[in-house]
Amino acid sequence: MTLPLSILDLAHIGESGIAESFRASVELAQKAEGWGYKRIWFAEHHNMPSIASSATSVLIAHVAANTSTIRLGAGGIMLPNHSPLQIAEQFGTLETLHPGGIDLGLGRAPGSDQNTMRALRRDPSAADTFPSDVQELQAYFDGQTRISGVNAYPGKDTHVPLYILGSSLFGARLAAALGLPYSFASHFAPQALEDAVRIYRRDFQPSAAMAEPYVIAGVNAIVADTQEAADSLFLTAKRRRVASMVGRGQTFTEAEMDLLLDSPAGQQVLNMMRYSAVGTPDAARAYLEDFAAKADADELIVATQVTDRTAWIRSFELLAQAMHL
């Protein structure tokens, strides 16, 4: 049985601007449903000049209006930034407009820095109520509200499927206790992957939502027609990542970025990209099959750290062909 493969679209803002980013997301989704990808998720980030998916539910609606069969969703909504009722209304609306095609992944991280948290009017302690907020949200979708006299319209009885997102053992334990599918962010936080999946599968409690555990593991992939082309794209991606995270907005030459890559801080950033399939289609397939076994994953969700639009689309096309989707 072919391993299900999905896409995490980072909605990268290129030199042509935000509108072009949205057009690219629609183009990718239209092609991806023909190539056989299972779903595309968009992530909530704020105050990040390189990512255009901050209004996540709005972007999902736009892409859904321009596609037919591929599942679309949030990977994820940072629930402490919102009230469960608001998210139930937003995703209840999406599910009503596009029945059977919407996913809702939930995370408890801020998706932003401290100043942005203040701008969002977020209480830093909101993450502490994440488990009960997830249950409140689920109850709205199931028509069994936990707050007397309050329901989500739209949202009630839409049964939008929930996924717990995580990069630590906390999310694994919560997903297991609630009997929900679990998605691990190993594409940028690889350290706890195997322990988290092991705990999730060991402690999973069957629920009305899920009878068996289900794991989605994140992985980076850059696929090109030649190994040399893929390596070149990966080097550009690494340089951009380390310049962004270590350089704090400064402009660097390629030589300076390579020095940053060799620094201890640069090596720490590179470790975030530890799970990356880089190469030809055959090499990428072999890597992803090995990674899926290592992660004990039922599905992989792929992020492609390429900013050139043609190479970005081509990477997903070659990967679909290689994985026989």
Side-chain angles (χ1 to χ4, degrees):
M1 185 175 180
T2 300
L3 180 73
L5 207 62
S6 298
I7 293 172
L8 178 64
D9 182 353
L10 299 174
H12 174 75
I13 301 172
E15 293 181 359
S16 299
I18 294 174
E20 191 273 336
S21 173
F22 294 151
R23 285 192 292 270
S25 290
V26 170
E27 179 186 359
L28 175 63
Q30 290 172 336
K31 291 179 181 296
E33 66 181 1
W35 292 333
Y37 284 93
K38 185 177 180 68
R39 66 182 102 235
I40 296 178
W41 281 356
F42 303 92
E44 177 187 350
H45 293 282
H46 299 282
N47 193 32
M48 297 188 70
S50 63
I51 296 179
S53 52
S54 55
T56 314
S57 59
V58 180
L59 181 56
I60 293 168
H62 175 62
V63 177
N66 288 278
T67 52
S68 302
T69 58
I70 195 165
R71 297 191 65 84
L72 298 167
I77 289 293
M78 301 300 106
L79 192 54
N81 291 343
H82 314 273
S83 74
L85 177 61
Q86 289 174 313
I87 297 303
E89 292 167 343
Q90 291 175 21
F91 280 79
T93 298
L94 287 169
E95 174 63 24
T96 302
L97 291 170
H98 308 283
I102 300 298
D103 300 328
L104 176 50
L106 300 169
R108 66 171 183 147
S112 58
D113 55 38
Q114 293 292 324
N115 286 337
T116 307
M117 286 174 61
R118 286 194 288 272
L120 288 167
R121 302 297 190 270
R122 174 181 168 172
D123 182 346
S125 67
D128 297 340
T129 61
F130 180 68
S132 60
D133 287 347
V134 171
Q135 291 175 296
E136 181 183 332
L137 175 58
Q138 187 176 37
Y140 286 130
F141 288 137
D142 292 344
Q144 299 173 348
T145 179
R146 291 182 160 218
I147 300 178
S148 179
V150 177
N151 279 288
Y153 303 110
K156 182 181 179 183
D157 296 322
T158 54
H159 306 289
V160 175
L162 301 183
Y163 297 75
I164 299 298
L165 277 57
S167 57
S168 68
L169 305 186
F170 177 90
R173 293 189 176 103
L174 179 62
L178 298 180
L180 293 174
Y182 179 51
S183 181
F184 191 88
S186 35
H187 62 292
F188 73 85
Q191 290 81 359
L193 170 63
E194 293 176 76
D195 285 343
V197 172
R198 176 180 53 79
I199 288 171
Y200 168 69
R201 291 195 180 277
R202 182 194 69 196
D203 296 346
F204 182 84
Q205 299 296 313
S207 68
M210 293 279 295
E212 301 288 339
Y214 191 85
V215 172
I216 303 174
V219 62
N220 301 292
I222 295 179
V223 188
D225 292 288
T226 67
Q227 184 68 48
E228 292 75 16
D231 288 339
S232 177
L233 291 168
F234 191 41
L235 177 59
T236 299
K238 290 188 291 187
R239 285 170 171 167
R240 187 179 67 252
R241 173 72 70 91
V242 77
S244 172
M245 299 190 70
V246 179
R248 301 182 183 277
Q250 299 179 64
T251 300
F252 299 97
T253 65
E254 289 185 353
E256 289 170 334
M257 285 188 283
D258 289 341
L259 287 174
L260 280 176
L261 286 172
D262 289 335
S263 70
Q267 291 300 305
Q268 185 174 359
V269 172
L270 290 180
N271 187 52
M272 297 170 63
M273 304 172 73
R274 181 195 311 170
Y275 294 130
S276 297
V278 179
T280 62
D282 286 344
R285 177 185 175 89
Y287 183 96
L288 292 185
E289 288 177 342
D290 287 346
F291 172 75
K294 176 184 180 68
D296 194 12
D298 300 293
E299 177 182 336
L300 300 182
I301 188 162
V302 176
T304 297
Q305 308 283 343
V306 175
T307 55
D308 178 85
R309 294 299 186 200
T310 301
W312 182 66
I313 292 282
R314 180 64 172 161
S315 180
F316 286 117
E317 179 183 16
L318 291 172
L319 186 58
Q321 293 170 1
M323 299 298 288
H324 306 303
L325 301 185

